[in-house]
Amino acid sequence: MSEFKVIKPTELDENVCKLIGKDWMLVTAKKDNQINTMTASWGGLGVMWGRDVAYTVIRPQRFTKKFVDGSTHFSLSFYDNKYRDTLSYLGKVSGRDEDKISKSGLTVAEELDTPYFEEAKLVLICKKMFAQPLNENSFLDTSLIEKWYPNRDYHELYIAEIEKVLIKK
């Protein structure tokens, strides 16, 4: 029996700025039956085009990007503080170099053919709707470029419909 219950996105009762920016999340996707994940702390939740959405950004050199690009769906998953070291590890080590998911000790599960981890307290199953690289010419506050993009390796923005929300019972 699943440890999760399904709720509507409008039933989420979390501080999104804390959840994403302070507690972090895992972005996880599957391509060609392989799974990869990365830790992220930039993104948000809201409404776009009349749908409940999540958005996140991924730099071009991240290994996880090709998994997100190669799939229609990805998951965003959130964890209790006891997983902080695991999230830190998954953010520092590339899946190109080692089987970091196995080494993390997390347990892979799937919903709507989208991978996530059983240890999560909250999971968003997201269907991609929009992807676009950030562009230097679009920055109105150009100080952000020097601070966050000295190598001009601009993130790609992904906006995805939240198809399912799983929360620990």
Side-chain angles (χ1 to χ4, degrees):
M1 179 180 237
S2 174
E3 294 184 47
F4 291 94
K5 68 178 180 176
V6 177
I7 65 170
K8 296 176 184 170
T10 54
E11 295 177 282
L12 275 174
D13 190 20
E14 295 274 353
N15 177 326
V16 176
C17 292
K18 180 181 180 301
L19 197 64
I20 296 171
K22 302 293 183 204
D23 296 345
W24 307 338
M25 63 184 169
L26 291 179
V27 179
T28 309
K30 178 171 73 171
K31 178 184 176 200
D32 301 329
N33 285 323
Q34 290 187 301
I35 298 168
N36 203 58
T37 192
M38 63 175 257
T39 303
S41 62
W42 288 7
L45 306 178
V47 177
M48 192 73 178
W49 305 301
R51 298 181 192 177
D52 297 318
V53 299
Y55 69 89
T56 192
V57 291
I58 303 175
R59 288 193 194 262
Q61 64 267 38
R62 293 300 299 257
F63 189 55
T64 302
K65 186 177 183 311
K66 73 177 179 180
F67 289 80
V68 171
D69 289 344
S71 178
T72 59
H73 289 73
F74 61 85
S75 68
L76 301 177
S77 54
F78 304 88
Y79 300 81
D80 290 326
N81 196 47
K82 68 182 178 181
Y83 292 100
R84 188 64 167 200
D85 289 344
T86 302
L87 294 180
S88 182
Y89 164 74
L90 291 168
K92 290 177 184 169
V93 174
S94 175
R96 259 188 220 100
D97 302 328
E98 62 183 66
D99 185 356
K100 68 181 188 176
I101 292 174
S102 291
K103 289 186 177 184
S104 76
L106 295 179
T107 309
V108 176
E110 286 195 7
E111 185 71 32
L112 300 176
D113 200 34
T114 305
Y116 69 93
F117 301 101
E118 289 181 11
E119 292 79 5
K121 66 179 182 179
L122 172 66
V123 177
L124 306 178
I125 304 297
C126 302
K127 182 179 182 181
K128 292 186 312 184
M129 297 170 46
F130 179 88
Q132 179 176 339
L134 300 184
N135 180 305
E136 184 169 342
N137 296 330
S138 297
F139 282 87
L140 303 177
D141 180 348
T142 56
S143 71
L144 296 171
I145 296 169
E146 290 310 314
K147 180 174 183 178
W148 298 105
Y149 302 102
N151 298 323
R152 304 304 192 257
D153 57 340
Y154 300 105
H155 287 92
E156 183 148 342
L157 168 66
Y158 297 88
I159 301 174
E161 181 175 12
I162 302 169
E163 288 196 329
K164 201 168 222 183
V165 178
L166 306 174
I167 192 163
K168 278 277 168 77
K169 293 180 185 176

